[in-house]
Amino acid sequence: FWNCTFEYNKNPEIMLCDRTCEFNFTNTTISHNMGSFLTTSIRSVVSFNESLIIHNYSGDRPLFYLPGSDFSIFHPCLFIENHGLAIIDTTGLSSKINIKNGVFKRNKALTYIIGLDDNSKVEINDSRFNGNMATQGTIFSKRSTLIISNSSFIKNRDSAVRFNRGKAYISNSNFYYNNGDDKSSTITLHTAYLSISNSEFNGLSQNGHIYATGKYKLRLYNLIFSGAKKYSLNSSIRASCIFCKYNTLKTHHKTNSHAIYFYLI
């Protein structure tokens, strides 16, 4: 789909693929639709380039439900003020998500903004997540691999990243004033492995910015926290943080530095 506009459609599934399909959306606007915009079956491929997805409402369905499929963003795309069960959901079957230059702003989901499980893999680079609300975290991963680099998470409600029985590798990223309340942490993991380096955390959290339970393994390196130690990391985790700094307000790491994009909404 090139230079297309989909707006004010109302249907449980606006696009439905019941076989193996390939979708590419370029310079496309998807706005003010009601229902799941795209539902696919296993081994489908979906990609977006320079497109705008804004003010859609999918109710009790994900906006994009793509189990067992591949989802990619190669060039700047904006997901703004969409509402529903989830925004991008691949849970149920092994999937791949690759997002570069994605912008997710003020979306509201009953579960998560992006969710995957069952030995899936998500890579997020040079992307921004601002002001999103999701009860299970902005990024939710279960039994999967999560890689985040050069990205920012600002003022998202609940955890910015939540994962269970998987692995997460985070580098050169900023986490500013996330958490829906004092009890939630910026990054939450259970019986999982987390490697995070050269990243910055602003704001306070009662349980610390990184909250781990179960049998977990951490590699924390060169992290910068704006708050005091006790509000940045709890004592059981703090000993694992190498070359970490506290009570620092300056921004030391810059993300999305390769290019600057301007959008008029």
Side-chain angles (χ1 to χ4, degrees):
F1 300 91
W2 294 76
N3 301 313
C4 295
T5 298
F6 300 87
E7 60 182 7
Y8 298 105
N9 297 287
K10 297 180 181 181
N11 205 65
E13 293 97 5
I14 295 166
M15 289 191 178
L16 176 63
C17 166
D18 60 0
R19 301 267 178 120
T20 300
C21 303
E22 183 172 348
F23 293 86
N24 173 266
F25 300 89
T26 301
N27 293 320
T28 292
T29 297
I30 300 170
S31 68
H32 296 93
N33 299 287
M34 295 185 67
S36 178
F37 182 78
L38 176 60
T39 298
T40 65
S41 55
I42 191 171
R43 291 189 294 274
S44 292
V45 177
V46 180
S47 62
F48 274 87
N49 300 284
E50 298 175 345
S51 295
L52 174 64
I53 299 92
I54 185 170
H55 294 312
N56 298 285
Y57 177 73
S58 59
D60 60 354
R61 300 168 179 264
L63 186 61
F64 295 91
Y65 183 47
L66 318 169
S69 299
D70 291 1
F71 178 90
S72 300
I73 294 175
F74 298 114
H75 298 287
C77 288
L78 282 77
F79 292 73
I80 299 177
E81 295 182 352
N82 300 287
H83 297 242
L85 182 67
I87 306 303
I88 300 169
D89 187 356
T90 67
T91 57
L93 293 168
S94 180
S95 308
K96 292 182 180 179
I97 298 176
N98 190 338
I99 296 176
K100 185 175 178 62
N101 294 317
V103 176
F104 294 77
K105 295 180 65 176
R106 300 187 298 276
N107 299 285
K108 295 182 180 180
L110 298 174
T111 53
Y112 32 75
I113 304 301
I114 298 174
L116 67 160
D117 65 8
D118 198 40
N119 298 312
S120 297
K121 182 179 181 180
V122 58
E123 294 188 57
I124 299 173
N125 301 285
D126 301 308
S127 296
R128 290 184 290 142
F129 297 81
N130 298 352
N132 300 288
M133 295 180 63
T135 59
Q136 296 183 30
T138 302
I139 309 296
F140 174 82
S141 173
K142 185 176 181 180
R143 297 190 304 273
S144 297
T145 300
L146 171 63
I147 302 172
I148 298 174
S149 62
N150 299 308
S151 297
S152 63
F153 294 77
I154 301 173
K155 294 183 178 179
N156 299 285
R157 299 292 299 272
D158 203 271
S159 296
V161 176
R162 185 184 295 270
F163 63 105
N164 183 359
R165 299 182 185 276
K167 297 179 180 180
Y169 304 87
I170 302 173
S171 62
N172 303 302
S173 295
N174 295 331
F175 298 85
Y176 297 160
Y177 306 106
N178 296 284
N179 311 327
D181 53 55
D182 291 338
K183 295 182 180 180
S184 60
S185 298
T186 304
I187 299 174
T188 303
L189 63 144
H190 175 72
T191 311
Y193 173 78
L194 169 65
S195 172
I196 180 168
S197 61
N198 305 316
S199 296
E200 184 171 323
F201 295 81
N202 280 5
L204 302 177
S205 176
Q206 179 178 324
N207 294 319
H209 285 285
I210 299 172
Y211 183 69
T213 57
K215 295 180 179 179
Y216 59 85
K217 185 176 181 181
L218 302 175
R219 180 188 177 275
L220 312 180
Y221 178 79
N222 195 30
L223 305 183
I224 296 175
F225 300 90
S226 65
K229 287 184 179 181
K230 65 179 180 178
Y231 294 117
S232 300
L233 294 174
N234 64 44
S235 57
S236 61
I237 292 178
R238 201 180 306 144
S240 303
C241 203
I242 301 173
F243 295 121
C244 294
K245 300 179 180 68
Y246 305 89
N247 291 306
T248 304
L249 293 177
K250 284 188 175 182
T251 300
H252 296 264
H253 302 288
K254 295 182 179 179
T255 60
N256 302 316
S257 58
H258 300 293
I260 299 176
Y261 302 97
F262 295 92
Y263 299 92
L264 181 62
I265 303 301

